[in-house]
């Protein structure tokens, strides 16, 4: 099937399978990563399985914007491989933990992009790196679940593979699972305060 779909990727291949098989494949591919997300701690297993069953895969090439500052997020993006960085005030800075709070640029290590990043196309940027977003981190959780503006821009440093939960799916989950939805909101608020 992968040869038949070529560059369309795993999502196109997944659409060829019946819904029940797709759910099992998504559980196998993403279940461990999703279940380890702090935002889902305390949620029922069935709720987490519903989240997993709705995920779509996405790939971001180096330099692509994953989320723009001051936008209302339409997706929750969970990074499954690769690295992303946070861009603030026109300068590039590596990500933070699980995407829950902005970097403290005063603590940043300053370096040249040419020497330290795998992508020479980003060499024109001056970088202040606190840390980077990587596997297991998320983008847009606070903005999507709380309906606030995305606080910073996030760009792919290298090829980032991610899974995303759409705004429509978020609304459906909030309607069908209000208690678990409240737990996710509380987890995000607590992470932002930490």
């Amino acid at each position: 099937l992968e040869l038949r779909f070529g560059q369309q990727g795993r999502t196109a291949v997944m659409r060829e399978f019946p819904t029940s098989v797709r759910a099992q494949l998504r559980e196998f591919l993403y279940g461990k990563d999703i279940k380890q997300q702090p935002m889902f701690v305390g949620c029922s297993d069935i709720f987490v399985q519903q989240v997993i069953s709705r995920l779509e895969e996405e790939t971001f090439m180096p330099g692509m914007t994953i989320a723009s500052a001051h936008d209302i997020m339409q997706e929750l993006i969970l990074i499954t491989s690769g690295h992303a960085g946070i861009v603030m005030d026109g300068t590039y800075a590596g990500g933070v933990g699980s995407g829950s709070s902005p970097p403290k640029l005063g603590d940043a290590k300053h370096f040249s992009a040419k020497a330290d990043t795998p992508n020479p196309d980003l060499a024109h940027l001056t970088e202040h790196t606190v840390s980077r977003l990587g596997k297991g981190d998320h983008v847009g959780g606070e903005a999507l679940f709380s309906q606030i503006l995305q606080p910073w821009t996030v760009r792919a440093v290298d090829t980032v593979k991610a899974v995303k939960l759409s705004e429509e799916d978020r609304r459906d989950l909030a309607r069908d699972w209000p208690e678990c939805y409240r737990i996710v909101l509380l987890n995000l608020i607590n992470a932002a305060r930490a």
Side-chain angles (χ1 to χ4, degrees), residues 23 25 68 127 139 179 183:
L25 286 171
S68 296
E127 298 185 349
V139 176
E179 185 62 29
I183 291 169

Side-chain angles (χ1 to χ4, degrees), residues 20-75:
S20 61
V21 174
R22 283 195 303 251
Q24 290 176 339
L25 286 171
R26 283 189 178 109
E27 175 71 30
F28 174 77
L29 294 170
Y30 315 123
K32 184 179 176 185
D33 291 334
I34 302 306
K35 290 175 183 174
Q36 292 177 351
Q37 281 290 322
M39 76 177 84
F40 298 122
V41 169
C43 294
S44 73
D45 289 341
I46 296 170
F47 174 79
V48 176
Q49 288 171 346
Q50 285 296 310
V51 170
I52 293 167
S53 72
R54 297 164 189 253
L55 296 174
E56 294 291 328
E57 193 169 85
E58 179 98 17
T59 301
F60 299 93
M61 300 310 291
M64 284 181 67
T65 299
I66 296 171
S68 296
H70 312 296
D71 284 349
I72 294 177
M73 288 294 293
Q74 299 297 311
E75 304 163 329

